[in-house]
Amino acid sequence: MASTYVAGGDVEYGRYGNPTWAAFEAALGDLEGGRALAFSSGLAAVSTVLDLVGHGCKVVAPRHAYNGSVLQLADLEARGRITAELVDVADTAAVTKACAGASLVWIESPTNPALEVADIPEIVAAAHEAGAHVVVDNTFATPLLQQPLGMDVDIVVHSATKFIAGHSDVLLGAIVTGDSELHDVLKKRRDMIGAVPGTFETWLALRGLRTLHVRMDRAQANAQELVRRLSAHPAVAEVRYPGFGAVISVVLDQGALAADLLTHKTTLWVHATSLGGVESTFERRRRWKSEPATIPDGLVRMSVGIEDVDDLWDDLAVALDQLAPQRPV
Ligand SMILES: *Cc1c(COP(=O)(O)O)cnc(C)c1O
């Protein structure tokens, strides 16, 4: 917990480095297969990467990427810094076509909250052909379920706030790259901007990382079982799940009102934004004015935790049954 160090050692000042950051970065770097840098939040990491894009250059990004990332792109575009082309990241032909003339291709897969999956290797090939760098926001999959650097992606970004820290008590971000030149550039920018994490937060995230595999196993198994049960419920019009991970999006038959009723009628499921904690949380995403209108009004994003799956289902079923009273036995 030091802001300064005895002069003449490896680190002089707390903005340039910290042994706890180094331990966290070594662990995350190992998992992703590159070198990691910790940041004060996921969005601080996103902003540091977008800051590398040259004046007037083009960025391709998913229209349903994390809202905060899309808002940063829109802000940079409004100020004349970059041009952004938003694409359906699951439409590989559209993404590869958009790569022409781009300097950065931003991928999020699965996307938050639409849960679309990108064909990362195909997009990487087209982007590199066009001379663009590729970034993957790997927050939803975590390095346990997807390792983008192994698919030739240049940079991985994380909101470690979510599954990596895993207990809804920390804000933290990370950037991982296999390119040491890029690593040095990013480290220099972190030094300069000061978007550095707290020592205690980083220590908590490192502690969280130690149970990531156990938490993810359980949360994913819970999610897969809930997908089966939700798909059979008459109040649910659509279940979106990429087949892996612990986030499900459901679209309710009766739209926003039903979604709001559901999120207020449970006792175990907590109505809250964010995701990736040990406790199950959910929210209707369009309650945020900034969420695009292409996300259905009645879409509820569910972050499945590690509780008993029958407890989770019973709690949901009581609420869902009230939305569909004529449910066949
Ligand atoms: C939450 C989130 C972010 C932003 O991270 P913060 O730690 O909240 O700043 C970025 N990308 C994705 C996919 C997220 O879910």
Side-chain angles (χ1 to χ4, degrees):
M1 301 293 282
S3 63
T4 190
Y5 300 86
V6 175
D10 288 343
V11 185
E12 293 272 3
Y13 183 53
R15 190 167 8 89
Y16 304 134
N18 173 287
T20 307
W21 303 355
F24 171 75
E25 290 166 351
L28 181 60
D30 270 355
L31 290 175
E32 288 284 6
R35 291 175 73 190
L37 288 164
F39 284 80
S40 50
S41 69
L43 279 186
V46 170
S47 148
T48 303
V49 172
L50 291 181
D51 225 18
L52 300 182
V53 177
H55 202 277
C57 292
K58 172 178 157 183
V59 179
V60 177
R63 62 188 174 135
H64 293 153
Y66 177 68
N67 208 231
S69 306
V70 176
L71 289 176
Q72 284 194 18
L73 286 167
D75 175 67
L76 289 168
E77 190 166 40
R79 290 186 289 126
R81 270 278 318 277
I82 62 156
T83 61
E85 182 170 346
L86 299 184
V87 291
D88 173 358
V89 82
D91 182 349
T92 309
V95 184
T96 55
K97 187 162 166 258
C99 286
S103 68
L104 188 72
V105 178
W106 192 275
I107 302 176
E108 194 177 290
S109 184
T111 53
N112 178 4
L115 296 175
E116 297 137 339
V117 173
D119 184 339
I120 297 174
E122 281 287 322
I123 295 170
V124 168
H128 284 172
E129 177 78 24
H133 282 98
V134 183
V135 180
V136 169
D137 183 331
N138 207 26
T139 299
F140 272 39
T142 82
L144 299 188
L145 304 177
Q146 174 168 278
Q147 290 130 11
L149 299 183
M151 299 181 232
D152 254 2
V153 164
D154 303 288
I155 295 174
V156 165
V157 163
H158 275 288
S159 171
T161 306
K162 314 292 167 56
F163 292 101
I164 287 177
H167 296 75
S168 311
D169 50 12
V170 166
L171 280 169
L172 199 81
I175 301 176
V176 197
T177 176
D179 178 328
S180 58
E181 220 170 293
L182 214 42
H183 170 89
D184 293 348
V185 169
L186 289 161
K187 164 78 168 74
K188 236 178 233 157
R189 291 212 64 82
R190 187 182 66 176
D191 291 352
M192 189 156 56
I193 296 164
V196 294
T199 312
F200 185 58
E201 283 76 3
T202 315
W203 178 80
L204 281 171
L206 182 59
R207 189 169 76 167
L209 209 47
R210 293 189 175 112
T211 55
L212 176 61
H213 60 303
V214 183
R215 288 185 284 109
M216 189 51 99
D217 273 0
R218 173 63 172 260
Q220 180 172 254
N222 280 354
Q224 288 170 349
E225 181 56 31
L226 290 176
V227 164
R228 274 189 283 278
R229 298 187 193 185
L230 284 163
S231 304
H233 199 285
V236 178
E238 187 187 350
V239 179
R240 298 188 184 185
Y241 182 65
F244 60 93
V247 182
I248 306 167
S249 286
V250 294
V251 182
L252 292 182
D253 211 16
Q254 296 162 71
L257 186 63
D260 285 336
L261 282 172
L262 171 67
T263 55
H264 288 85
K265 275 194 185 300
T266 53
T267 50
L268 185 55
W269 286 82
V270 180
H271 181 216
T273 197
S274 197
L275 53 105
V278 290
E279 62 291 291
S280 296
T281 59
F282 61 173
E283 73 169 335
R284 182 172 76 84
R285 282 302 299 178
R286 288 281 301 284
R287 79 189 178 94
W288 297 94
K289 295 269 176 297
S290 55
E291 195 72 24
T294 42
I295 298 296
D297 225 13
L299 181 142
V300 175
R301 185 188 65 197
M302 312 175 72
S303 172
V304 181
I306 64 169
E307 304 94 331
D308 181 276
V309 71
D310 289 322
D311 286 351
L312 288 175
W313 175 249
D314 289 349
D315 192 35
L316 281 178
V318 166
L320 286 171
D321 286 351
Q322 291 175 58
L323 303 176
Q326 62 289 66
R327 182 187 182 190
V329 183

